[in-house]
Amino acid sequence: MISVEDALARVFALATPLPAEPVPLRAAAGRVLAAPVIAPRDQPPFSASAMDGYAVAGPVSPGQRFAVIGESAAGRASGLVVGPGQAVRIFTGAPLPEGADRVVIQEDVERSESEITLREKLDDATHIRPAGGDFKAGDELEPGRILTPNALALAAAMGASSVTCTRKPVVSLMATGDELVMPGDAPGPDQIIASNSFALAAMFEAEGAECRLLPIARDTRESLRAAFALAAGSDLVITTGGASVGDHDLVGEVAADLGMDRAFYKVAMRPGKPLMAGKLNGMAMVGLPGNPVSSIVCGHVFIRPLLRKMLGLGEAPAPRRPLPLSAPLPPNGPRAHYMRAVIISGEVAALERQDSSLLTVLDAANALIVRPVNDPARAAGESVEVIDL
């Protein structure tokens, strides 16, 4: 039995970042940028008005009058040169006429036919967006980032119709066990409905994976071999259940028969002790516990970080943040403990350890308290690290 830290390091060793591929900009939301987007020109390519108003030259003062000599609108430059005592009616986004060095907003102006008079209260702003103010030719949107809406807007402004992104990891999810049936099927009196694959698929797809749900593998070597055959070509195979030590827990044995190079089996953590990982025919493989709470916890602790590495986002544990406890916690034992918790008003309250209800997990838990091996008792108000779910 190894530590969580050692297990995560061995899980990271199972995979490398995936190759890149071109992706149309419209389909790139949430993808990981693998090559820079380089601006071919300045943005904006000209100095532009940031407000509706009048472009003028030189210092201004209340009561000053200007002759309006033309108009400049977005997409239609005036071609005029502004001199002393002259103004050009200008609209937001329009190119600034030559000679102008500020825009007086229309709220600070009184207009009479072809002349304007500046009002008493003038602001000090120029209301000009300078050329290259957003970015300059040669500036880069750097790779190794998730393409958020803001990043997509920047890539579009740089003129990119497509971007180079890391290929999505293909994950095959294999639920195992004679006791399972799929949602929509009628369970027998000694069966339950499979749920793990649906939770894990949603979790992993949120990290950028492409998930395949395989048929349920029964507790026979033949069924397991057939399921593993269907996973061929995946980047990562995730099994749930069948990884413990019971007479019907055959996943590890069948995987070994098929050539799996096992990295480890069993981790000093709760929940999630019967965790197994290795390499199978070029694919990373992780066997998660069958208990829904355990599989979800292991998904957050091990698989989400692995997917981020495969996407080129580096090796790092699941993000944690410190929060104060709203109630005391007893000391922790010789295994790392991931306690389900609920965050209310910036404080974290642990759910009762014996409460393993899936309904409780879905309705209440929105974080995991991360407690290392032999963690001492914690008082109310003391800080603990949490992983947001």
Side-chain angles (χ1 to χ4, degrees), residues 41-49 73-75 77 93-96 128-133:
R41 67 171 189 167
D42 294 352
Q43 172 71 10
F46 46 78
S47 293
S49 178
L96 196 69
I128 294 173
R129 294 177 58 207

Side-chain angles (χ1 to χ4, degrees), residues 78-104:
S78 66
L80 298 170
V81 178
V82 177
Q86 296 179 326
V88 169
R89 176 69 166 129
I90 197 166
F91 299 93
T92 303
L96 196 69
E98 184 180 346
D101 55 16
R102 76 169 287 165
V103 172
V104 180

Side-chain angles (χ1 to χ4, degrees), residues 97-111:
E98 184 180 346
D101 55 16
R102 76 169 287 165
V103 172
V104 180
I105 61 175
Q106 61 189 20
E107 291 84 353
D108 291 343
V109 167
E110 291 182 2
R111 180 164 181 173

Side-chain angles (χ1 to χ4, degrees), residues 41 47 106 113 120 153 183 185 216 231 288 318 345 361 365 369:
R41 67 171 189 167
S47 293
Q106 61 189 20
E113 296 183 355
E120 288 299 316
D185 293 341
I216 294 171
L288 302 182
S345 301
V361 173
I369 300 175

Side-chain angles (χ1 to χ4, degrees), residues 5-362:
E5 293 75 19
D6 190 6
L8 182 57
R10 297 189 194 193
V11 167
F12 280 142
L14 298 176
T16 57
L18 296 171
E21 62 184 6
V23 178
L25 193 65
R26 181 65 182 87
R31 299 290 296 268
V32 175
L33 188 65
V37 179
I38 303 174
R41 67 171 189 167
D42 294 352
Q43 172 71 10
F46 46 78
S47 293
S49 178
M51 301 287 283
D52 292 344
Y54 294 85
V56 298
V60 296
S61 58
Q64 195 172 357
R65 294 182 178 180
F66 295 86
V68 180
I69 60 172
E71 181 178 287
S72 181
R76 300 196 310 275
S78 66
L80 298 170
V81 178
V82 177
Q86 296 179 326
V88 169
R89 176 69 166 129
I90 197 166
F91 299 93
T92 303
L96 196 69
E98 184 180 346
D101 55 16
R102 76 169 287 165
V103 172
V104 180
I105 61 175
Q106 61 189 20
E107 291 84 353
D108 291 343
V109 167
E110 291 182 2
R111 180 164 181 173
S112 175
E113 296 183 355
S114 61
E115 184 179 77
I116 60 170
T117 302
L118 305 189
R119 291 177 173 163
E120 288 299 316
K121 293 184 178 180
L122 295 173
D123 64 27
D124 297 326
T126 63
H127 301 296
I128 294 173
R129 294 177 58 207
D134 291 339
F135 53 79
K136 298 185 180 300
D139 283 349
E140 295 185 1
L141 179 61
E142 296 179 348
R145 69 172 69 231
I146 296 173
L147 288 169
T148 62
N150 290 350
L152 289 172
L154 184 55
M158 288 179 167
S161 60
S162 67
V163 287
T164 301
C165 298
T166 308
R167 179 173 64 76
K168 288 187 173 187
V170 177
V171 181
S172 287
L173 292 162
M174 182 198 308
T176 71
D178 288 341
E179 74 279 13
L180 299 178
V181 298
M182 290 294 286
D185 293 341
D190 52 359
Q191 290 184 307
I192 59 174
I193 299 172
S195 62
N196 290 346
S197 293
F198 296 91
L200 296 173
M203 183 192 304
F204 302 158
E205 286 170 351
E207 289 292 342
E210 176 186 317
C211 291
R212 302 172 180 172
L213 269 63
L214 304 183
I216 294 171
R218 300 305 170 188
D219 291 326
T220 67
R221 295 178 185 275
E222 293 75 17
S223 181
L224 286 165
R225 287 193 191 97
F228 277 119
L230 292 174
S234 303
D235 300 299
L236 173 61
V237 181
I238 300 291
T239 63
T240 55
S244 190
V245 292
D247 293 340
H248 300 285
D249 293 331
L250 301 174
V251 171
E253 293 181 17
V254 172
D257 291 343
L258 294 172
M260 184 186 73
D261 181 14
R262 182 181 289 183
F264 66 86
Y265 171 53
K266 292 187 180 178
V267 182
M269 64 182 286
R270 65 182 186 203
K273 174 184 173 183
L275 186 76
M276 174 180 63
K279 197 86 170 181
L280 176 62
N281 299 328
M283 304 178 292
M285 177 188 161
V286 181
L288 302 182
N291 177 274
V293 174
S294 299
S295 69
I296 291 171
V297 168
C298 289
H300 283 287
V301 175
F302 296 103
I303 310 305
R304 288 178 61 199
L306 175 61
L307 292 172
R308 291 179 63 83
K309 177 183 177 177
M310 297 170 80
L311 286 165
L313 296 173
E315 291 187 8
R320 304 176 182 183
R321 61 189 178 114
L323 283 178
L325 286 167
S326 62
L329 286 178
N332 191 38
R335 285 187 283 174
H337 192 187
Y338 293 83
M339 302 180 67
R340 290 161 294 119
V342 56
I343 299 171
I344 300 175
S345 301
E347 291 191 330
V348 58
L351 298 176
E352 291 297 328
R353 177 182 166 190
Q354 64 268 25
D355 184 358
S356 59
S357 159
L358 183 59
L359 184 61
T360 300
V361 173
L362 294 176

